[in-house]
Amino acid sequence: MSIIYPQQDASHLNDKDPEQIRIHSIETFGTHDGPGIRFIVFVQGCQFRCLYCHNPDTFDVKGGKFVTLEEIEKRVLRQRPYFGDEGGITISGGEPLLHRTKILTLFKRLKEKGIHTCLDSNGRLVNKQVEELLEYTDLLMLDVKHINDDWHHKLTTVSNVPTLKLAEMREKQGKPMWLRYVLVPGWSDQEEYLHELGQRFKDYKTIEKIEIQPYHKLGVHKWEAMGMKYGLEGVEPPTKEQVAKTVEIFSQYFKEVHVN
């Protein structure tokens, strides 16, 4: 079995077929990916190779299926009566920033109709297109896999530098941001690095909260089905005590700490 799915050129996801976007799936009435009730689009394609990824079937930039922006807009507007004051659309993945210009087009249309927009991103890209997209993004949920770049490489095979730069860009924009952090025993639970993460972000005005996502094994079967070796074999989910310790540390730096 191969160890990881090879990285691919993802430029076509953004540059071709401007009125179509390649997606993995859609979830209606989601409640865990942003405030309120969300219409969630999981886009296809990701260049991170997180060892714990529970959707490795989103790695392939040529996988999934095409759906038109018009169809997504129509479905979102049909669901609007259920959104209330907080709900809206969330684009997750995969990695949304690989589809940045298409999502920008969609968000512009939806913002004109009063729909709350949210991105769940690992921060893979930082450029002018991303900056413009963030201007039309009401909430950025930024996944910080690890504050230490060496450990980030071990967990994802790539650097955390773009992720941290994206956080800086969002802070300069002055628009709301949530941080998300997957807690993996032995990999991302080191107390010194939890403090370092807190120190890095403690003065950010845009961060409303940090969400701790305890590691789980729900995606292991997908790795096996795809003929890939699961990189965290033998690693168990964090104990209540480990989660509580992380909450205690993060609470020193963030005004709200939530465990998903």
Side-chain angles (χ1 to χ4, degrees):
M1 293 193 297
S2 60
I3 297 177
I4 59 173
Y5 196 93
Q7 285 195 3
Q8 304 162 294
D9 176 20
S11 59
H12 66 281
L13 294 177
N14 188 65
D15 300 336
K16 294 183 178 180
D17 303 305
E19 286 297 322
Q20 294 190 102
I21 189 167
R22 190 181 290 271
I23 71 167
H24 172 268
S25 57
I26 288 176
E27 178 183 347
T28 56
F29 298 94
T31 57
H32 299 290
D33 292 282
I37 295 174
R38 315 298 300 182
F39 182 95
I40 308 169
V41 179
F42 296 92
V43 295
Q44 186 72 23
C46 186
Q47 293 174 325
F48 274 41
R49 294 294 179 263
C50 300
L51 297 180
Y52 48 72
C53 182
H54 60 278
N55 283 320
D57 44 337
T58 65
F59 289 167
D60 187 1
V61 300
K62 297 180 181 179
K65 61 183 179 181
F66 279 115
V67 63
T68 65
L69 301 183
E70 182 182 16
E71 173 63 20
I72 294 175
E73 180 182 358
K74 287 180 179 179
R75 293 185 62 178
V76 170
L77 294 177
R78 284 200 297 267
Q79 191 172 323
R80 177 160 53 180
Y82 302 98
F83 291 158
D85 294 332
E86 292 187 326
I89 185 172
T90 297
I91 309 293
S92 186
E95 174 45 48
L97 298 185
L98 300 181
H99 308 255
R100 53 203 175 276
T101 60
K102 298 178 182 183
I103 298 173
L104 173 60
T105 298
L106 178 65
F107 276 11
K108 283 182 175 180
R109 295 173 184 174
L110 292 175
K111 289 290 291 175
E112 289 178 353
K113 296 176 173 62
I115 301 297
H116 183 276
T117 57
C118 175
L119 278 182
D120 179 12
S121 171
N122 60 35
R124 176 60 174 159
L125 295 171
V126 183
N127 58 29
K128 288 294 183 180
Q129 292 176 333
V130 170
E131 184 176 17
E132 185 178 6
L133 171 58
L134 291 186
E135 289 289 352
Y136 288 85
T137 301
D138 292 314
L139 174 65
L140 171 66
M141 296 192 297
L142 184 62
D143 300 295
V144 180
K145 310 299 184 180
H146 208 291
I147 195 63
N148 178 271
D149 198 38
D150 289 339
W151 276 101
H152 195 278
H153 271 92
K154 293 175 185 177
L155 274 169
T156 71
T157 74
V158 297
S159 173
N160 68 2
V161 170
T163 303
L164 300 180
K165 286 184 177 180
L166 189 69
E168 293 174 1
M169 176 183 286
R170 186 63 171 181
E171 177 70 3
K172 290 178 181 177
Q173 288 181 330
K175 295 177 179 290
M177 173 166 54
W178 295 358
L179 300 185
R180 304 183 116 183
Y181 190 80
V182 179
L183 185 65
V184 186
W187 289 82
S188 61
D189 64 341
Q190 308 96 329
E191 292 187 19
E192 67 269 32
Y193 292 128
L194 299 178
H195 281 288
E196 184 177 333
L197 187 149
Q199 288 286 344
R200 172 87 184 205
F201 293 112
K202 65 182 178 64
D203 295 325
Y204 275 53
K205 306 300 183 185
T206 58
I207 295 176
E208 297 181 339
K209 67 177 176 178
I210 186 168
E211 294 184 336
I212 300 169
Q213 299 174 308
Y215 162 73
H216 59 72
K217 300 180 178 180
L218 298 181
V220 174
H221 69 284
K222 291 186 179 181
W223 289 76
E224 295 171 347
M226 293 175 65
M228 298 190 297
K229 182 179 180 181
Y230 187 64
L232 294 181
E233 186 174 349
V235 176
E236 295 298 321
T239 64
K240 292 182 179 179
E241 291 74 19
Q242 288 172 313
V243 173
K245 182 62 179 178
T246 303
V247 170
E248 186 274 325
I249 291 174
F250 281 166
S251 295
Q252 299 175 38
Y253 305 99
F254 302 99
K255 57 186 176 183
E256 183 177 345
V257 180
H258 181 78
V259 180
N260 281 355

Short mmCIF file of all heavy atoms in Angstrom, two decimals, residues 149-177:
data_model
loop_
_atom_site.label_atom_id
_atom_site.label_comp_id
_atom_site.label_asym_id
_atom_site.label_seq_id
_atom_site.Cartn_x
_atom_site.Cartn_y
_atom_site.Cartn_z
N ASP A 149 6.47 24.51 12.95
CA ASP A 149 6.51 24.15 11.52
C ASP A 149 7.01 22.74 11.30
O ASP A 149 6.53 22.04 10.40
CB ASP A 149 7.38 25.15 10.76
CG ASP A 149 7.14 25.11 9.26
OD1 ASP A 149 5.97 24.95 8.86
OD2 ASP A 149 8.10 25.23 8.49
N ASP A 150 7.98 22.28 12.09
CA ASP A 150 8.48 20.91 11.94
C ASP A 150 7.37 19.90 12.22
O ASP A 150 7.18 18.93 11.46
CB ASP A 150 9.66 20.66 12.87
CG ASP A 150 10.91 21.39 12.43
OD1 ASP A 150 11.01 21.75 11.24
OD2 ASP A 150 11.81 21.63 13.27
N TRP A 151 6.64 20.12 13.30
CA TRP A 151 5.54 19.21 13.62
C TRP A 151 4.41 19.33 12.59
O TRP A 151 3.74 18.35 12.27
CB TRP A 151 5.01 19.48 15.03
CG TRP A 151 5.79 18.79 16.09
CD1 TRP A 151 6.74 19.32 16.91
CD2 TRP A 151 5.69 17.40 16.43
NE1 TRP A 151 7.25 18.35 17.75
CE2 TRP A 151 6.62 17.16 17.48
CE3 TRP A 151 4.93 16.34 15.97
CZ2 TRP A 151 6.78 15.90 18.05
CZ3 TRP A 151 5.09 15.08 16.54
CH2 TRP A 151 6.01 14.87 17.57
N HIS A 152 4.22 20.53 12.07
CA HIS A 152 3.21 20.71 11.03
C HIS A 152 3.55 19.89 9.79
O HIS A 152 2.68 19.26 9.18
CB HIS A 152 3.10 22.20 10.67
CG HIS A 152 1.88 22.57 9.90
ND1 HIS A 152 1.77 22.41 8.53
CD2 HIS A 152 0.68 23.08 10.30
CE1 HIS A 152 0.58 22.81 8.12
NE2 HIS A 152 -0.10 23.23 9.17
N HIS A 153 4.85 19.89 9.43
CA HIS A 153 5.28 19.06 8.31
C HIS A 153 5.01 17.58 8.59
O HIS A 153 4.57 16.83 7.71
CB HIS A 153 6.78 19.26 8.05
CG HIS A 153 7.09 20.36 7.09
ND1 HIS A 153 7.35 21.65 7.49
CD2 HIS A 153 7.18 20.37 5.74
CE1 HIS A 153 7.59 22.41 6.44
NE2 HIS A 153 7.49 21.66 5.36
N LYS A 154 5.30 17.14 9.81
CA LYS A 154 5.08 15.73 10.15
C LYS A 154 3.61 15.35 10.05
O LYS A 154 3.26 14.25 9.61
CB LYS A 154 5.57 15.46 11.58
CG LYS A 154 7.07 15.58 11.76
CD LYS A 154 7.45 15.41 13.23
CE LYS A 154 8.94 15.64 13.47
NZ LYS A 154 9.29 15.53 14.91
N LEU A 155 2.74 16.27 10.43
CA LEU A 155 1.31 15.99 10.42
C LEU A 155 0.67 16.12 9.05
O LEU A 155 -0.28 15.40 8.73
CB LEU A 155 0.59 16.93 11.40
CG LEU A 155 0.52 16.53 12.86
CD1 LEU A 155 0.01 17.69 13.71
CD2 LEU A 155 -0.40 15.32 13.03
N THR A 156 1.19 17.06 8.22
CA THR A 156 0.49 17.41 6.98
C THR A 156 1.33 17.30 5.71
O THR A 156 0.78 17.40 4.62
CB THR A 156 -0.02 18.86 7.06
OG1 THR A 156 1.09 19.76 6.99
CG2 THR A 156 -0.79 19.11 8.36
N THR A 157 2.64 17.16 5.84
CA THR A 157 3.65 17.14 4.77
C THR A 157 3.95 18.52 4.21
O THR A 157 4.76 18.64 3.29
CB THR A 157 3.30 16.19 3.60
OG1 THR A 157 2.27 16.77 2.80
CG2 THR A 157 2.87 14.82 4.10
N VAL A 158 3.31 19.59 4.71
CA VAL A 158 3.55 20.93 4.20
C VAL A 158 3.79 21.90 5.36
O VAL A 158 3.58 21.56 6.52
CB VAL A 158 2.38 21.44 3.32
CG1 VAL A 158 2.21 20.58 2.09
CG2 VAL A 158 1.09 21.49 4.13
N SER A 159 4.19 23.11 5.02
CA SER A 159 4.52 24.13 6.01
C SER A 159 3.27 24.82 6.55
O SER A 159 2.24 24.90 5.88
CB SER A 159 5.45 25.18 5.39
OG SER A 159 5.68 26.25 6.26
N ASN A 160 3.40 25.38 7.77
CA ASN A 160 2.31 26.17 8.33
C ASN A 160 2.46 27.66 8.04
O ASN A 160 1.61 28.46 8.47
CB ASN A 160 2.19 25.95 9.84
CG ASN A 160 3.38 26.51 10.63
OD1 ASN A 160 4.30 27.11 10.07
ND2 ASN A 160 3.37 26.32 11.94
N VAL A 161 3.50 28.05 7.31
CA VAL A 161 3.74 29.47 7.04
C VAL A 161 2.55 30.13 6.34
O VAL A 161 2.10 31.22 6.74
CB VAL A 161 5.05 29.67 6.26
CG1 VAL A 161 5.18 31.12 5.77
CG2 VAL A 161 6.24 29.30 7.13
N PRO A 162 1.99 29.55 5.26
CA PRO A 162 0.83 30.18 4.62
C PRO A 162 -0.36 30.32 5.57
O PRO A 162 -1.08 31.32 5.52
CB PRO A 162 0.52 29.25 3.45
CG PRO A 162 1.81 28.56 3.16
CD PRO A 162 2.45 28.36 4.49
N THR A 163 -0.58 29.31 6.41
CA THR A 163 -1.69 29.36 7.35
C THR A 163 -1.57 30.56 8.28
O THR A 163 -2.53 31.30 8.52
CB THR A 163 -1.76 28.06 8.17
OG1 THR A 163 -1.89 26.95 7.28
CG2 THR A 163 -2.94 28.08 9.13
N LEU A 164 -0.37 30.76 8.81
CA LEU A 164 -0.15 31.86 9.73
C LEU A 164 -0.23 33.21 9.01
O LEU A 164 -0.71 34.20 9.58
CB LEU A 164 1.20 31.69 10.43
CG LEU A 164 1.34 30.40 11.25
CD1 LEU A 164 2.72 30.33 11.90
CD2 LEU A 164 0.25 30.29 12.31
N LYS A 165 0.20 33.25 7.76
CA LYS A 165 0.09 34.48 6.98
C LYS A 165 -1.39 34.81 6.69
O LYS A 165 -1.78 35.98 6.67
CB LYS A 165 0.86 34.36 5.67
CG LYS A 165 2.38 34.44 5.85
CD LYS A 165 3.10 34.42 4.50
CE LYS A 165 4.60 34.59 4.69
NZ LYS A 165 5.32 34.56 3.39
N LEU A 166 -2.19 33.77 6.45
CA LEU A 166 -3.61 34.00 6.21
C LEU A 166 -4.28 34.57 7.47
O LEU A 166 -5.13 35.45 7.37
CB LEU A 166 -4.30 32.71 5.78
CG LEU A 166 -5.74 32.89 5.29
CD1 LEU A 166 -5.76 33.62 3.95
CD2 LEU A 166 -6.46 31.57 5.17
N ALA A 167 -3.87 34.06 8.63
CA ALA A 167 -4.41 34.61 9.89
C ALA A 167 -4.05 36.08 10.01
O ALA A 167 -4.89 36.90 10.43
CB ALA A 167 -3.86 33.82 11.07
N GLU A 168 -2.83 36.44 9.64
CA GLU A 168 -2.41 37.85 9.69
C GLU A 168 -3.24 38.69 8.72
O GLU A 168 -3.65 39.82 9.05
CB GLU A 168 -0.93 37.96 9.34
CG GLU A 168 0.00 37.33 10.36
CD GLU A 168 1.46 37.34 9.92
OE1 GLU A 168 1.73 37.84 8.80
OE2 GLU A 168 2.31 36.83 10.67
N MET A 169 -3.49 38.16 7.53
CA MET A 169 -4.30 38.87 6.55
C MET A 169 -5.71 39.12 7.10
O MET A 169 -6.26 40.22 6.97
CB MET A 169 -4.37 38.07 5.25
CG MET A 169 -5.27 38.68 4.18
SD MET A 169 -5.37 37.64 2.68
CE MET A 169 -3.74 37.94 1.96
N ARG A 170 -6.29 38.11 7.71
CA ARG A 170 -7.64 38.24 8.25
C ARG A 170 -7.67 39.27 9.39
O ARG A 170 -8.60 40.07 9.48
CB ARG A 170 -8.13 36.89 8.75
CG ARG A 170 -9.59 36.89 9.19
CD ARG A 170 -10.51 37.20 8.04
NE ARG A 170 -11.92 37.01 8.38
CZ ARG A 170 -12.92 37.18 7.55
NH1 ARG A 170 -12.70 37.57 6.31
NH2 ARG A 170 -14.17 36.98 7.93
N GLU A 171 -6.66 39.24 10.24
CA GLU A 171 -6.59 40.20 11.34
C GLU A 171 -6.52 41.64 10.81
O GLU A 171 -7.18 42.54 11.35
CB GLU A 171 -5.38 39.89 12.22
CG GLU A 171 -5.15 40.87 13.36
CD GLU A 171 -6.18 40.78 14.48
OE1 GLU A 171 -7.07 39.90 14.42
OE2 GLU A 171 -6.10 41.59 15.42
N LYS A 172 -5.76 41.85 9.76
CA LYS A 172 -5.66 43.19 9.17
C LYS A 172 -7.00 43.63 8.57
O LYS A 172 -7.31 44.83 8.56
CB LYS A 172 -4.57 43.21 8.11
CG LYS A 172 -3.16 43.10 8.67
CD LYS A 172 -2.11 43.10 7.56
CE LYS A 172 -0.70 42.97 8.14
NZ LYS A 172 0.33 42.90 7.09
N GLN A 173 -7.77 42.67 8.06
CA GLN A 173 -9.09 43.01 7.51
C GLN A 173 -10.08 43.38 8.61
O GLN A 173 -11.07 44.07 8.36
CB GLN A 173 -9.65 41.84 6.70
CG GLN A 173 -8.96 41.60 5.37
CD GLN A 173 -9.58 40.44 4.61
OE1 GLN A 173 -10.11 39.50 5.21
NE2 GLN A 173 -9.53 40.50 3.30
N GLY A 174 -9.82 42.89 9.82
CA GLY A 174 -10.71 43.20 10.93
C GLY A 174 -12.03 42.46 10.90
O GLY A 174 -13.02 42.92 11.48
N LYS A 175 -12.06 41.29 10.25
CA LYS A 175 -13.29 40.52 10.13
C LYS A 175 -13.23 39.25 10.98
O LYS A 175 -12.14 38.72 11.22
CB LYS A 175 -13.56 40.16 8.67
CG LYS A 175 -13.83 41.38 7.78
CD LYS A 175 -14.01 40.96 6.33
CE LYS A 175 -14.30 42.16 5.44
NZ LYS A 175 -15.66 42.70 5.71
N PRO A 176 -14.36 38.72 11.42
CA PRO A 176 -14.40 37.61 12.38
C PRO A 176 -13.67 36.35 11.91
O PRO A 176 -13.70 35.99 10.72
CB PRO A 176 -15.89 37.34 12.56
CG PRO A 176 -16.54 38.65 12.26
CD PRO A 176 -15.71 39.25 11.15
N MET A 177 -13.04 35.68 12.88
CA MET A 177 -12.30 34.45 12.61
C MET A 177 -12.44 33.52 13.82
O MET A 177 -12.41 33.96 14.96
CB MET A 177 -10.83 34.79 12.35
CG MET A 177 -9.89 33.59 12.22
SD MET A 177 -8.27 34.05 11.52
CE MET A 177 -7.73 35.37 12.63
#
